[in-house]
Amino acid sequence: MITVALIGNPNVGKTELFNRLTGLKQHVGNWPGVTVEKKTGKCTYKGEALEIVDLPGTYSLTTHAIDELIARDYIVKENPDVVVDIVDGTNLERNLYLTLLLLELEANVLVALNQWDIVKERGIDIEVDKLSELLGVPIVTTVAPTGDGVEKLKEVVVKAAKGKEKRRKVVLGYGDDIEALIKKVENEISKDTSLSSKYPLRWLAIKVLEKDDEVLKMIEDSPYRDKIMEMVR
Ligand SMILES: Nc1nc2c(ncn2[C@@H]2O[C@H](COP(=O)(O)OP(=O)(O)OP(=O)(O)O)[C@@H](O)[C@H]2O)c(=O)[nH]1
Ligand SMILES: [Mg+2]
């Protein structure tokens, strides 16, 4: 079974795409402990079974909103095989912020460039191949209400799930000073294997420097806590 998480900004076409992918094979419940709706569904592609999880719509992945935290926790802790980032092609710049956060999380991301019909209609020029190369992720253009591109999306999802190891890692740089600091914090955190085996090291280090509540809580329990916190003061 290949697990696939759908994520995207609000109103990008997530529900339409989820319905297209899963047809009637859906289950609606709640995320554990909260009243936020959790939808899961199944589909197959050429004999491969896919389990699709619809994450709450979100612009960001901070800990400040329950929706964002649910989405992020799911990706970090459940490690879905593939994360499909649904991007509104008519709002590329705003939507790509979430894409970059997902890359920082080292998720196995691929982009569904949705609303492709409107992109065409408005004559918006997007160089899909170039964007795909820049981000280091596959991109499939889709029109959720008609189902255009959805078969292709499944094909690319299956491919991405199998080729996980071979992905080019795209790193967003923060400039020399901050990069040096990130490296130092990474070094210290790497000594705590209970953390470094579970989460991407660079992501942890960046979150420590951002004073992210959840990650600081994890650091609290680390035997290397004092050394790590000393660096970020
Ligand atoms: N033309 C066009 N309309 C689309 C496309 N995808 C979604 N829509 C429309 O955009 C609106 C929002 O789609 P939803 O699927 O509800 O979006 P969502 O991301 O689930 O939205 P929230 O759950 O509210 O965050 C609906 O009216 C859809 O019919 C697309 O590719 N092309
Ligand atoms: Mg929706």
Side-chain angles (χ1 to χ4, degrees):
M1 178 85 84
I2 297 170
T3 54
V4 184
L6 299 186
I7 194 167
N9 288 8
N11 212 32
V12 293
K14 265 159 36 68
T15 298
E16 289 263 9
L17 204 57
F18 178 82
N19 291 345
R20 277 279 158 191
L21 283 166
T22 59
L24 293 173
K25 288 173 226 115
Q26 302 177 8
H27 174 78
V28 182
N30 281 336
W31 291 92
V34 288
T35 56
V36 179
E37 185 178 87
K38 179 183 187 182
K39 277 204 297 186
T40 58
K42 291 187 165 61
C43 68
T44 55
Y45 180 81
K46 293 193 173 161
E48 291 284 347
L50 311 183
E51 159 142 272
I52 320 278
V53 179
D54 190 24
L55 297 177
T58 173
Y59 293 108
S60 180
L61 294 174
T62 67
T63 60
H64 305 311
I66 188 68
D67 294 24
E68 298 189 15
L69 193 55
I70 288 171
R72 170 173 128 174
D73 266 0
Y74 183 81
I75 293 168
V76 172
K77 293 178 182 158
E78 305 296 324
N79 252 313
D81 297 308
V82 182
V83 176
V84 175
D85 176 22
I86 303 166
V87 163
D88 174 356
T90 68
N91 252 314
L92 199 54
E93 204 173 315
R94 188 184 68 192
N95 279 240
L96 286 179
Y97 178 62
L98 179 62
T99 314
L100 296 181
L101 294 176
L102 292 167
L103 289 176
E104 201 158 81
L105 250 184
E106 297 177 28
N108 191 18
V109 185
L110 72 84
V111 167
L113 193 51
N114 195 42
Q115 316 260 8
W116 191 245
D117 53 335
I118 305 180
V119 170
K120 288 277 151 198
E121 220 174 83
R122 294 194 192 157
I124 303 169
D125 188 20
I126 301 176
E127 292 178 82
V128 177
D129 292 342
K130 204 174 229 173
L131 184 61
S132 167
E133 197 180 310
L134 274 172
L135 294 170
V137 307
I139 300 180
V140 179
T141 57
T142 55
V143 182
T146 65
D148 268 20
V150 171
E151 276 307 293
K152 178 79 187 171
L153 183 63
K154 287 186 199 172
E155 179 194 329
V156 176
V157 163
V158 171
K159 230 186 243 165
K162 306 213 170 227
K164 243 198 248 189
E165 268 52 72
K166 286 174 284 179
R167 280 298 272 287
R168 182 161 72 89
K169 207 164 119 183
V170 172
V171 177
L172 311 176
Y174 286 87
D176 292 348
D177 292 351
I178 295 175
E179 284 299 331
L181 200 51
I182 292 173
K183 272 276 150 324
K184 267 169 70 180
V185 177
E186 263 187 53
N187 251 331
E188 204 55 38
I189 300 177
S190 68
K191 295 175 190 162
D192 185 342
T193 49
S194 72
L195 279 176
S196 59
S197 62
K198 263 196 270 173
Y199 307 103
L201 249 188
R202 180 178 168 83
W203 178 79
L204 283 173
I206 292 169
K207 293 298 131 179
V208 166
L209 290 167
E210 288 178 3
K211 301 205 166 31
D212 179 279
D213 306 337
E214 287 273 305
V215 172
L216 287 187
K217 260 187 249 161
M218 299 178 200
I219 301 292
E220 269 295 296
D221 299 328
S222 169
Y224 301 92
R225 178 184 70 191
D226 293 345
K227 269 293 228 0
I228 295 167
M229 292 316 292
E230 211 171 276
M231 288 179 206
V232 300
R233 255 193 279 280

